[in-house]
Amino acid sequence: MTEKPILRVLAGEALWPPPIWLMRQAGRYLPEYRAARAEAADLLGAFTTPDLATEITLQPIRRYGMDAAILYSDILILPWALGHGLRFEEGVGPVLPRLDGQAGVAALDRGGFADRVAPVLETVRRTAAALRRDYPATTLIGFAGAPFTVACYMIEGGGSREHAEVRRLAYADPALFAALMDVLIETTIDYLAWQAEAGAEVLMLFDSWAGVLPPPLFAAHVTAPAARVAAALRKRAPGVRLIGFPRLAGSLLAGYARTAGLDAVGMDTATDPLWAAAAVPDGVAVQGNLDPIAVVAGGEAMHAAALAVRDALRGRPHIFNLGHGIVPQTPPAHVGALVDLVRAV
Ligand code: CP3
């Protein structure tokens, strides 16, 4: 039925060599990215200009022939589209207003959400058309931040080391926390279903801060929301494939993979692929998990580390990727060498 390698793996087939794409593959390490980005006034402008975002999404496909293109957007587009506000500060990262309790949840503008995400959906449509035309074996991946990670940025007002305020709130005011999570879960379902309608074949949930939670809160705020999103998408976008990435989940990745109802789970850099191969149920593919810094180093060290990941998962449905996003100081030639060596058998 389907020929695309990534879709074959997500349907449960073990391919050798495994297909490959890299998180943050469209980004600042590429000179063509920096040139394209300079055309937009700011990062939000780049994410919401369909021509430019389509071009940036396709850059790593053109340069390396990756097996997947991932939509050039950001997980924080969702709170922005709910009217919560967002700016990206050079050298600081994303800055958002801190959520103002129940009033802040009530103020989220669900009525304006569809209009604000329209340019992103247009990027999905244009990218899907370009891939059909020029790269018919390349899979288009859409994504959203998982509700917990998006809540982290909204509650902390940006990035954070400990996420102490998010965790405090989850203990101290579970009703408020649940109210925020409900809005995020429901709007994430809409947003992902719309991406599937626009041509995304795979949808990925990035839960970058899942690993700050103890097991009971992880079950409630990471696994359960992923299961709700997955169940709703199975109905609204039948046929779409789902990947969840609860970063730094450690041993909790096993329960997440068993119960969330996804087609694949991402492994972060600290996960032992041999452990994951045994702990993740057979029907769930795994994705990952080369250390992004090994790609900065390149050479023999990258070679050995990449083949160790690839070979550990031989015989299992596996999509080769990094354990976290590619970093800006990565030499583009090292990425090309990585793709070649993963594909060489
Ligand atoms: O993977 C891809 O190529 C697709 C696009 C993508 C971006 N962000 C583009 C981006 C994806 C999937 C994301 C996800 C994202 N964004 C996550 C989850 C994954 C992770 O990294 O843990 C998170 C936590 C964010 C929030 C975010 N966006 C941060 C913390 C930053 C600033 C950090 C930095 O590197 O400066 C961003 C900005 C951002 N999003 C960039 C890109 C390419 C940097 C862009 C630029 O300055 O031009």
Side-chain angles (χ1 to χ4, degrees):
M1 251 173 49
T2 172
E3 294 298 309
K4 298 190 181 190
I6 295 229
L7 295 181
R8 287 173 61 188
V9 171
L10 291 172
E13 219 183 310
L15 295 187
W16 190 259
I20 175 172
W21 70 279
L22 305 180
M23 292 187 278
R24 289 274 177 98
Q25 63 189 14
R28 282 168 296 185
Y29 74 106
L30 286 178
E32 62 267 35
Y33 172 81
R34 296 193 297 271
R37 249 279 262 132
E39 288 174 29
D42 56 21
L43 202 46
L44 255 168
F47 293 139
T48 52
T49 304
D51 266 351
L52 189 59
T54 301
E55 161 60 24
I56 290 173
T57 302
L58 294 171
Q59 284 174 346
I61 313 309
R62 254 184 233 126
R63 192 190 260 258
Y64 304 112
M66 299 292 185
D67 290 294
I70 182 160
L71 170 68
Y72 176 70
S73 180
D74 195 84
I75 64 164
L76 299 175
I77 286 292
L78 185 125
W80 170 78
L82 286 168
H84 184 71
L86 168 67
R87 69 205 150 74
F88 288 96
E89 257 177 41
E90 213 59 56
V92 177
V95 181
L96 296 77
R98 280 176 159 243
L99 186 82
D100 178 19
Q102 286 287 0
V105 176
L108 295 174
D109 174 25
R110 296 179 68 170
F113 182 66
D115 283 346
R116 292 200 191 89
V117 297
V120 179
L121 301 173
E122 182 57 23
T123 302
V124 176
R125 247 173 250 118
R126 291 187 197 187
T127 307
L131 293 177
R132 269 194 299 277
R133 193 176 54 235
D134 299 330
Y135 303 96
T138 306
T139 299
L140 179 55
I141 304 179
F143 71 89
F148 176 69
T149 286
V150 174
C152 283
Y153 284 92
M154 294 174 77
I155 291 166
E156 301 281 352
S160 159
R161 230 167 231 288
E162 298 288 337
H163 294 87
E165 181 51 20
V166 185
R167 286 146 69 198
R168 191 196 63 79
L169 196 69
Y171 287 111
D173 196 343
L176 170 60
F177 199 78
L180 173 62
M181 288 293 283
D182 275 336
V183 175
L184 295 177
I185 290 166
E186 287 164 17
T187 50
T188 298
I189 290 167
D190 281 339
Y191 185 41
L192 290 174
W194 296 336
Q195 291 183 39
E197 274 166 30
E201 303 161 288
V202 175
L203 300 168
M204 180 158 162
L205 275 178
F206 284 88
D207 219 343
S208 304
W209 300 114
V212 303
L213 293 175
L217 293 185
F218 183 97
H221 302 309
V222 174
T223 305
R228 259 175 81 184
V229 171
L233 289 170
R234 297 292 181 206
K235 292 201 184 112
R236 285 186 52 181
V240 80
R241 296 294 179 183
L242 305 172
I243 305 174
F245 181 38
R247 196 168 70 88
L248 301 176
S251 63
L252 302 180
L253 182 66
Y256 177 91
R258 269 198 311 278
T259 56
L262 305 161
D263 300 296
V265 294
M267 301 173 294
D268 59 66
T269 303
T271 304
D272 177 355
L274 286 171
W275 170 83
V280 171
D282 282 341
V284 178
V286 293
Q287 173 171 280
N289 73 340
L290 177 65
D291 185 352
I293 304 307
V295 193
V296 178
E300 264 311 302
M302 174 177 81
H303 194 276
L307 293 190
V309 169
R310 184 188 71 160
D311 296 352
L313 296 162
R314 184 165 193 166
R316 208 190 182 297
H318 172 221
I319 298 167
F320 193 96
N321 205 314
L322 305 177
H324 198 187
I326 197 164
V327 296
Q329 67 270 32
T330 307
H334 292 188
V335 176
L338 173 66
V339 171
D340 289 346
L341 78 92
V342 168
R343 286 185 173 154
V345 290

